[in-house]
């Protein structure tokens, strides 16, 4: 006879937090949102990879590209570059993120002297960078002959076919430094000469790196930014259970700090095989998460298989139709509560703490706090991040409203059959995701700051200052349908329609 779970499958919307005693120490400024990303033994060691905020971006084409990874790491979280692309292009995206904050930055925007302003603008749109190196052969390490910045031309006056050589700042007017200069010395040169960028050249005059003033200022402005031991941004990358033998080495070589098996259902021999191979090849030096699961049994399977963290959620994403198509899944609140209990039991038995990630089901900002209170160590968000400037999709104006494109990895547009693979014929048999739009919301920094301010404030209302304290001391109640209505504006005539985007 089939097994039946006694409790209904519940969502975050069905719960509210009960306030706890707030001491004078309970102020948002005192709240610490740092959290472990990978497994460790709390009694004997520090976690080798922690985040400063409990947010990671989803492993999706429409969410996690280079700009997203940089912006999120700057705020203290981690982006997982999407894996539904060729191995080489994913590895190159990882390299771009790792080189962005290295202090000495290889130039990724290069042209020849006979290039045109049109070439400059096209390159700027592609890379997002306003400093373009002009080298004799147009390569990254060619002999430097000049630099173009936005101060060197005016779009309204400079012809699009104007040669770069006619408006660039030539080498003889540039201040440069030679190979061997330290980062501290380079920063001093930047400040002493009021420069925005300092080219570093070898003895033959070939371009090696740039040092940017903005990197120094960025570090001062973003106190939570997540950096590795070489002061480069932390970045993750998605893998699958098909081509992992080729993809993992390429991503490790590119500098990925953490990997995650991207699958709609993680309780499988395919994921165990992938984890086993990685452990055989790299031991514990390569950090890799697995998932997704929705109950304690699935969590223990992946923890025993060697996962560094376990992802929770099937069918709860806004563009996911797995539940409609296949009839599998579980309400996200129920899944997180169940897996968190097994995570704690596993820690008591083994001494190993395996972090859990809630993936999906977040509609409102307060759902973030609920997911953390229910036991999640961090959250993976897709729709939330897809709305921002930094997501890789197009910003469109539809009927007077700005939107951004957002599609699921199980849609025909993504064609990410590996994510839904069950050892079949190597193609997407049917869709498990939709193609859609989401309301445009502005910059990542502005929105993440607002959302996490709400989380910090709510944690203070609960009398907690850290995520582990919230795990331990949170009190929750189920809500009725009428109490949900009562919780919003009601029985009044609003002066104007609210236009806030949750």
């Amino acid at each position: 006879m089939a097994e039946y779970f006694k409790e209904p499958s519940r969502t975050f919307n069905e719960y509210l937090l009960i306030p706890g005693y707030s001491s004078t120490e309970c102020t948002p400024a005192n709240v610490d949102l740092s959290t472990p990303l990978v497994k460790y033994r709390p009694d004997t060691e520090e976690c080798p990879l922690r985040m400063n905020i409990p947010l990671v971006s989803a492993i999706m084409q429409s969410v996690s590209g280079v700009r997203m990874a940089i912006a999120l790491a700057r705020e203290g979280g981690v982006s997982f570059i999407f894996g539904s692309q060729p191995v080489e292009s994913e590895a190159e995206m990882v390299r771009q993120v790792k080189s962005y904050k290295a202090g000495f930055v290889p130039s990724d925007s290069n042209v020849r002297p006979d290039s045109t302003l049109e070439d400059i603008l096209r390159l700027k749109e592609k890379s997002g960078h306003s400093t373009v190196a002009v080298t004799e052969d147009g390569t990254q390490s060619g002999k430097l002959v000049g630099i173009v910045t936005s101060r060197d031309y005016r779009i309204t006056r400079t012809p699009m076919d104007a040669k770069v050589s006619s408006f660039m700042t030539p080498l003889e007017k540039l201040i440069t430094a030679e190979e061997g200069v330290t980062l501290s010395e380079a920063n001093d040169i930047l400040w002493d000469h009021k420069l925005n960028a300092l080219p570093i050249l070898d003895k033959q005059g070939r371009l090696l790196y740039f040092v940017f003033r903005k990197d120094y200022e960025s570090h001062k402005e973003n106190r939570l930014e997540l950096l590795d031991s070489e002061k480069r941004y932390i970045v993750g990358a998605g893998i699958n259970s098909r081509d992992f033998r080729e993809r993992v080495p390429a991503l490790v070589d590119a500098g990925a700090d953490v990997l995650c098996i991207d699958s709609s259902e993680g309780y499988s021999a395919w994921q165990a095989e992938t984890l086993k191979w990685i452990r055989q090849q790299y031991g514990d030096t390569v950090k890799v998460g697995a998932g997704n699961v929705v109950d304690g049994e699935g969590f223990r399977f992946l923890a025993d298989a060697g996962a560094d963290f376990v992802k929770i959620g099937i069918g709860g994403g806004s563009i996911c139709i797995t539940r409609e198509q296949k009839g599998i899944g579980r309400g996200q609140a129920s899944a997180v509560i169940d897996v968190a209990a097994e995570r704690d039991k596993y820690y008591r038995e083994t001494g190993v703490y395996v972090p859990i990630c809630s993936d999906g089901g977040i509609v409102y900002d307060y759902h973030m706090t609920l997911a953390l209170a229910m036991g999640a160590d961090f959250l993976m968000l897709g729709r939330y991040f897809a709305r921002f400037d930094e997501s890789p999709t197009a910003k469109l104006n539809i009927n007077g409203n700005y939107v951004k494109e957002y599609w699921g990895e199980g849609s025909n547009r993504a064609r990410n059959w590996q994510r839904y693979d069950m050892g079949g014929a190597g193609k997407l048999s049917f869709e498990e995701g939709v193609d859609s739009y989401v309301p445009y919301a502005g910059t990542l920094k502005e929105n993440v700051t607002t959302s996490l301010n709400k989380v910090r404030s709510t944690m203070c209302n609960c009398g907690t200052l850290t995520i582990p304290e919230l795990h331990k001391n949170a009190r929750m109640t189920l809500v009725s349908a009428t109490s949900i209505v009562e919780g919003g504006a009601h029985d009044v005539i609003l002066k104007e329609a609210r236009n806030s985007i949750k």
Side-chain angles (χ1 to χ4, degrees), residues 60-80:
M60 300 176 68
Q61 296 174 13
S62 56
V63 178
S64 295
V66 173
R67 290 185 66 200
M68 179 64 67
I70 293 169
L72 186 50
R74 191 172 284 159
E75 298 305 309
V78 173
S79 185
F80 283 84

Side-chain angles (χ1 to χ4, degrees), residues 35-38 51 53-56 80 309-310 355-359 372 376-380:
T35 190
L37 178 57
V38 297
M51 296 188 293
I53 62 171
L55 304 181
V56 301
F80 283 84
F309 65 86
V310 173
I356 56 176
C357 169
S358 177
D359 176 17
L372 295 171
D377 295 285
F378 57 97
L379 318 174
M380 179 170 278

Side-chain angles (χ1 to χ4, degrees), residues 67 109 123-130:
R67 290 185 66 200
S109 300
L123 190 58
K124 181 179 178 181
E125 182 178 2
K126 178 182 177 181
S127 68
H129 299 158
S130 59

Side-chain angles (χ1 to χ4, degrees), residues 113-140:
D114 60 352
S115 299
T116 65
L117 176 58
E118 185 177 4
D119 296 324
I120 293 285
L121 297 178
R122 188 182 300 115
L123 190 58
K124 181 179 178 181
E125 182 178 2
K126 178 182 177 181
S127 68
H129 299 158
S130 59
T131 299
V132 178
V134 186
T135 59
E136 285 186 344
D137 58 3
T139 65
Q140 184 181 77

